[in-house]
Amino acid sequence: MAAQQVRVERDAAGLAVLTVDAPPLNLYTAELQDLLDDAVGDLEDRPARALLIRAEGAVVSGGVDVRLFAAQETRTRAKALFDQMLDLPERVAALPFPTVFAAHGLCLTWAFEVAVACDVLLAAERATFGLVEKVVGLTPTMGGTQRLAARAGVGRAKELVMTGERYDAATLERWNVVNRVLPDAGFDDAALRFAETLAAGPTVAHAATKQVLAHYERGGVAEANEHVTAIAADLFETEDLRNGVRSFLADGPGRATFTGR
């Protein structure tokens, strides 16, 4: 069923899990794009404490259904499509809570671009990644090139895109694209536990961290320094910080509970 190609499940602790389940290859289609847009819209309207993005099936995604490109008969239509495609990872990156992407297998094009828009990218040992748009004479349009450059440097981004090769998780961890490589056995559970840990943490402070780093991405250390003290000071208006300080003084570190308020 189309409505089941993307689902968002929430638990009582505030973790949202967005699952892509469009067999056999989780290809990006116009239909899947609309479903993903709706799912992210729901997360914007009803923020979670953390988000885990994952996929069902043998692969995370085999890429974009090329028929979607074939349907764009003019530059104007192609530009409109690409603008909509780019909007998805931009909205994921802007979510005001921690986001985790779990890649259990082959992760190509759009899925890889959404993955690097997340705060943390977890990969199973067997996972492989690629931006392979060169096979149809295209360059990535969903921010993957520039986000790879931010993580791994311009030279590595050029290599990934221009070769169109597939890269294993260990290599991309070494290049700072993948945050952590986890064993294949039990990967789904391990990724879920990692996301649950973030959801149970000081999520308002995590949102503040994202704000600081957004300023860094725009203007480097100097711009981040202009904003960090005000962002941090705002946290003194939150229950989490005040309760965290009281807990630390009374019971020592690591015993506070956080509510996201």
Side-chain angles (χ1 to χ4, degrees), residues 92-127:
V92 169
L95 290 170
F97 44 81
T99 56
V100 180
F101 194 100
H104 65 277
L106 178 66
C107 184
L108 297 182
T109 69
W110 76 269
F112 191 12
E113 295 185 271
V114 171
V116 293
C118 290
D119 301 322
V120 178
L121 172 49
L122 305 178
E125 292 171 331
R126 64 173 173 263

Side-chain angles (χ1 to χ4, degrees), residues 23-124:
L25 296 174
N26 295 324
L27 295 181
Y28 192 93
T29 62
E31 182 179 39
L32 187 67
Q33 178 173 262
D34 290 341
L35 293 170
L36 288 167
D37 282 344
D38 289 344
V40 174
D42 179 62
L43 291 161
E44 292 167 335
D45 293 340
R46 299 187 301 127
R49 286 177 55 77
L51 170 67
L52 173 65
I53 301 179
R54 59 179 298 278
E56 291 284 357
V59 303
V60 179
S61 178
V64 176
D65 187 335
V66 177
R67 289 173 292 188
L68 185 61
F69 298 146
Q72 311 311 310
E73 298 175 349
T74 65
R75 179 194 181 280
T76 300
R77 288 183 57 177
K79 175 68 162 53
L81 170 66
F82 295 150
D83 285 343
Q84 187 176 4
M85 293 175 71
L86 177 60
D87 188 56
L88 175 65
E90 287 291 287
R91 291 166 64 198
V92 169
L95 290 170
F97 44 81
T99 56
V100 180
F101 194 100
H104 65 277
L106 178 66
C107 184
L108 297 182
T109 69
W110 76 269
F112 191 12
E113 295 185 271
V114 171
V116 293
C118 290
D119 301 322
V120 178
L121 172 49
L122 305 178

Side-chain angles (χ1 to χ4, degrees), residues 36-225:
L36 288 167
D37 282 344
D38 289 344
V40 174
D42 179 62
L43 291 161
E44 292 167 335
D45 293 340
R46 299 187 301 127
R49 286 177 55 77
L51 170 67
L52 173 65
I53 301 179
R54 59 179 298 278
E56 291 284 357
V59 303
V60 179
S61 178
V64 176
D65 187 335
V66 177
R67 289 173 292 188
L68 185 61
F69 298 146
Q72 311 311 310
E73 298 175 349
T74 65
R75 179 194 181 280
T76 300
R77 288 183 57 177
K79 175 68 162 53
L81 170 66
F82 295 150
D83 285 343
Q84 187 176 4
M85 293 175 71
L86 177 60
D87 188 56
L88 175 65
E90 287 291 287
R91 291 166 64 198
V92 169
L95 290 170
F97 44 81
T99 56
V100 180
F101 194 100
H104 65 277
L106 178 66
C107 184
L108 297 182
T109 69
W110 76 269
F112 191 12
E113 295 185 271
V114 171
V116 293
C118 290
D119 301 322
V120 178
L121 172 49
L122 305 178
E125 292 171 331
R126 64 173 173 263
T128 56
F129 302 82
L131 295 179
V132 298
E133 286 83 351
K134 76 161 201 171
V135 299
V136 295
L138 187 63
T139 193
T141 62
M142 295 177 70
T145 304
Q146 49 270 41
R147 291 188 186 280
L148 283 172
R151 287 180 178 237
V154 171
R156 291 300 192 191
K158 289 179 178 178
E159 176 185 342
L160 274 151
V161 175
M162 291 182 179
T163 65
E165 294 177 359
R166 298 179 188 177
Y167 293 79
D168 59 62
T171 297
L172 293 190
E173 183 186 37
R174 191 171 70 249
W175 291 0
N176 295 323
V177 175
V178 167
N179 291 87
R180 297 187 184 185
V181 178
L182 304 176
D184 293 333
F187 174 75
D188 286 342
D189 289 340
L192 182 62
R193 287 194 301 271
F194 182 93
E196 288 172 338
T197 299
L198 293 183
T203 52
V204 181
H206 294 335
T209 298
K210 293 180 70 162
Q211 291 178 45
V212 173
L213 290 173
H215 284 295
Y216 171 80
E217 288 175 332
R218 287 193 290 268
V221 172
E223 180 175 328
N225 283 347

